[in-house]
């Protein structure tokens, strides 16, 4: 077992918005990753930042003691090169920690200007020799998602034995996906969306037609069969929290949570659970009973059902049996923020949608606030206590964390 897990294992969280960025930091991540402009694998599905946002992101993460990684992992064409260089230049000038890339042009440019680089999973690194090749460019290599934990451990031992070092002079770190959506294609390199809608997944524009239900037709007789028991191309979501100790023992240096297209509550909840699990392994309290506590919490936010991925040796994927999320909890928009009274610790909102009752579980999200969960123990309207408020009401309740006028209040309802 590693002696100093907080230093030896890095928890990296997705940031597809300001809310998600702040939620990840609040939940205890060690690093965040995000995209700008269109040259990243979530160009369509997340609210990508702009080049102008990079200095602010760098300041926020540096003040929080969190590393910042910019994804630049799409296929690049000749007309993209100037934009790629502009993005890398701005990232370096702004103080972003590293770039995550899969195209050799981006790798080459990062090396030329001295920008720290991580090799993306889209590079499909599946063996020690390939790690050694990329060590000339990068200090961190994200392994292919199809590897078993045994294969990961063998690569980690090989790095140690051969003393494979990156540009920093330190041993190359291995990164793997720990939680979130899995693609049916090898290392996410899929062309289904491109063929059907001229929207390339490898350019960040996937429309996820693999997640839909399908009908199979016998071409000779025209007989059709609806595949009604499984979404045969839509894998369940990866979840490794139940064998996280084995992952750490395998020599993994960075754990990545997938989800730049997900909301702040997803980022907060998943990051917090994995933070607790890493800390539990460190202090010796990690156990099956703790895993049983984390699993229902992970299930409250977006998921397609969970499986272990390929890490434990399974050869076939576990496919989802329904469309969309299986989250056990949903958010219902209630109100927008008005004001926060610092000395009293009171938050004021204006109800714009559904009713809110004493005893409700709520969440507040915002670009600066990130994500906050609480139970409403008392509601006051017009200076007096009330049991509930409805649309049009302005009201207050006790909240330990500051809110802003741009924040939104949701009611969390169990399904």
């Amino acid at each position: 077992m590693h002696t100093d897990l907080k230093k030896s294992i890095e928890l990296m969280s997705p940031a597809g918005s300001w809310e998600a960025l702040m939620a990840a930091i609040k939940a205890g991540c060690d690093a965040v990753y995000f995209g700008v402009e269109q040259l990243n694998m979530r160009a369509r599905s997340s609210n990508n930042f702009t080049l102008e946002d990079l200095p602010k992101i760098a300041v926020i993460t540096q003040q929080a003691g969190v590393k910042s990684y910019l994804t630049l992992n799409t296929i690049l064409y000749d007309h993209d090169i100037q934009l790629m260089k502009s993005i890398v230049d701005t990232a370096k000038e702004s103080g972003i920690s590293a770039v995550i890339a899969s195209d050799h042009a981006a790798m080459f440019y990062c090396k030329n200007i001295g920008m720290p680089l991580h090799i993306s999973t889209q590079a499909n690194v599946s063996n020690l020799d390939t790690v050694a090749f990329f060590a000339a460019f990068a200090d961190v290599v994200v392994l292919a998602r199809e590897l078993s934990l045994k294969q990961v451990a063998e690569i980690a031992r090989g790095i140690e034995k051969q003393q494979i070092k990156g540009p920093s002079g330190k041993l190359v770190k291995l990164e793997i996906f720990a939680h979130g959506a899995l693609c049916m294609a090898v290392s996410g390199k899929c062309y289904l969306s491109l063929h059907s809608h001229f929207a390339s997944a490898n350019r960040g524009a996937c429309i996820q037609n693999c997640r839909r239900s399908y009908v199979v037709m016998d071409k000779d007789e025209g007989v059709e069969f609806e595949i009604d028991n499984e979404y045969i191309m839509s894998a369940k979501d990866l979840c490794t929290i139940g064998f996280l100790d084995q992952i750490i023992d395998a020599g993994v240096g960075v754990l990545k949570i997938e989800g730049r297209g997900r909301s702040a509550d997803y980022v907060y909840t998943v990051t917090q659970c994995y933070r607790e699990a890493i800390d539990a392994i460190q202090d010796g309290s990690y156990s099956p009973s703790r895993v049983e506590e984390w699993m229902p919490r992970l299930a409250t936010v977006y998921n397609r059902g969970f499986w272990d991925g390929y890490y434990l040796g399974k050869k076939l994927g576990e496919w989802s049996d329904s469309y969309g999320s299986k989250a056990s909890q949903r958010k219902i928009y209630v109100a927008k923020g008005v004001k926060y009274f610092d000395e009293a610790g009171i938050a004021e909102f204006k109800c714009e949608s559904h009713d809110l009752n004493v005893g409700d579980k709520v969440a507040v999200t915002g670009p600066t606030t990130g994500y906050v969960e609480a139970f409403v123990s008392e509601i006051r309207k017009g200076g007096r206590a009330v049991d509930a408020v409805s649309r049009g009401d302005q009201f207050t309740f006790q909240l330990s964390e500051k809110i802003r006028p741009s924040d939104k209040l949701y009611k969390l309802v169990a399904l």
Side-chain angles (χ1 to χ4, degrees):
M1 184 66 68
H2 295 276
T3 56
D4 193 346
L5 291 172
K6 283 196 174 181
K7 289 184 179 178
S8 65
I9 195 82
E10 180 180 295
L11 181 60
M12 187 191 337
S13 298
S17 66
W18 292 110
E19 289 88 347
L21 172 66
M22 300 308 296
I25 292 171
K26 276 191 173 182
C29 71
D30 298 306
V32 293
Y33 67 103
F34 53 91
V36 298
E37 310 301 339
Q38 68 265 38
L39 299 183
N40 71 93
M41 295 296 282
R42 292 295 182 273
R44 177 190 290 268
S45 63
S46 63
N47 298 320
N48 292 291
F49 299 105
T50 66
L51 283 176
E52 290 73 29
D53 292 325
L54 290 182
K56 182 179 177 182
I57 293 171
V59 169
I60 290 172
T61 51
Q62 287 167 10
Q63 289 178 345
V66 167
K67 294 177 182 177
S68 55
Y69 302 135
L70 171 63
T71 56
L72 190 62
N73 54 350
T74 61
I75 290 173
L76 300 176
Y77 297 114
D78 283 326
H79 66 265
D80 298 317
I81 299 301
Q82 196 52 50
L83 176 58
M84 176 273 289
K85 291 180 177 179
S86 178
I87 291 172
V88 175
D89 288 343
T90 306
K92 185 179 181 184
E93 292 165 5
S94 300
I96 298 300
S97 304
V99 165
I100 304 173
S102 60
D103 193 291
H104 294 78
M107 298 177 196
F108 185 63
Y109 188 67
C110 284
K111 182 177 181 180
N112 282 347
I113 70 165
M115 180 67 192
L117 174 71
H118 296 185
I119 303 299
S120 168
T121 192
Q122 271 71 42
N124 194 34
V125 177
S126 305
N127 59 73
L128 181 62
D129 284 358
T130 305
V131 171
F133 171 81
F134 281 125
F137 301 91
D139 289 303
V140 177
V141 173
V142 188
L143 295 178
R145 290 176 287 194
E146 297 75 28
L147 297 181
S148 70
L149 205 53
K150 181 180 178 182
Q151 290 172 307
V152 172
E154 288 172 353
I155 292 172
R157 284 194 294 270
I159 292 171
E160 183 79 35
K161 184 178 180 180
Q162 297 183 22
Q163 289 292 291
I164 299 174
K165 298 178 180 180
S168 69
K170 297 179 181 179
L171 290 179
V172 170
K173 278 187 177 182
L174 295 179
E175 177 184 321
I176 68 167
F177 281 76
H179 192 95
L182 283 177
C183 178
M184 67 165 186
V186 173
S187 291
K189 291 205 167 187
C190 180
Y191 293 89
L192 186 62
S193 179
L194 177 64
H195 285 313
S196 64
H197 291 77
F198 206 67
S200 175
N202 304 302
R203 298 276 289 172
C206 182
I207 66 165
Q208 297 199 335
N209 32 358
C210 59
R211 305 295 185 185
R212 301 171 183 174
S213 60
Y214 282 86
V215 172
V216 176
M217 183 178 72
D218 177 344
K219 292 179 72 174
D220 290 335
E221 298 180 5
V223 178
E224 292 185 348
F225 298 92
E226 182 176 354
I227 302 170
D228 61 357
N229 63 324
E230 287 186 331
Y231 283 61
I232 60 171
M233 293 182 287
S234 180
K236 292 180 180 178
D237 285 0
L238 173 66
C239 178
T240 66
I241 204 163
F243 54 98
L244 200 58
D245 53 342
Q246 296 178 53
I247 288 175
I248 291 174
D249 279 339
V252 172
V254 184
L255 289 175
K256 175 180 281 183
I257 296 168
E258 187 277 337
R260 276 186 291 138
R262 301 281 172 250
S263 58
D265 60 313
Y266 171 93
V267 174
Y268 181 85
T269 299
V270 177
T271 301
Q272 188 179 61
C273 287
Y274 278 83
R275 174 79 273 156
E276 291 174 9
I278 291 170
D279 293 347
I281 293 170
Q282 183 184 36
D283 65 27
S285 64
Y286 181 85
S287 66
S289 62
R290 292 296 303 277
V291 174
E292 289 177 9
E293 294 173 11
W294 293 314
M295 289 302 294
R297 286 165 56 190
L298 291 170
T300 63
V301 292
Y302 191 100
N303 71 87
R304 297 182 180 93
F306 297 125
W307 74 301
D308 299 337
Y310 298 98
Y311 293 130
L312 300 183
K314 294 182 181 179
K315 294 181 180 179
L316 293 175
E318 291 189 17
W319 309 113
S320 177
D321 58 5
S322 61
Y323 180 78
S325 178
K326 288 190 170 184
S328 62
Q329 180 176 272
R330 68 186 177 108
K331 306 193 300 286
I332 299 174
Y333 177 65
V334 174
K336 70 174 181 179
V338 175
K339 189 177 180 180
Y340 188 76
F341 300 90
D342 293 280
E343 291 187 8
I346 298 291
E348 184 176 0
F349 293 89
K350 183 173 182 180
C351 189
E352 293 189 329
S353 183
H354 293 76
D355 294 351
L356 184 70
N357 299 274
V358 171
D360 282 345
K361 184 181 180 181
V362 297
V364 180
T365 67
T368 303
T369 303
Y371 184 79
V372 180
E373 281 187 6
F375 283 96
V376 180
S377 57
E378 181 186 48
I379 301 175
R380 300 190 74 85
K381 185 180 78 169
R384 62 186 184 88
V386 295
D387 293 328
V389 288
S390 56
R391 186 174 180 177
D393 290 340
Q394 201 137 321
F395 63 95
T396 61
F397 67 90
Q398 197 88 31
L399 192 65
S400 60
E401 295 195 45
K402 184 174 184 176
I403 64 107
R404 283 88 181 167
S406 58
D407 290 353
K408 295 179 179 179
L409 174 71
Y410 296 90
K411 180 161 53 175
L412 301 177
V413 180
L415 298 177

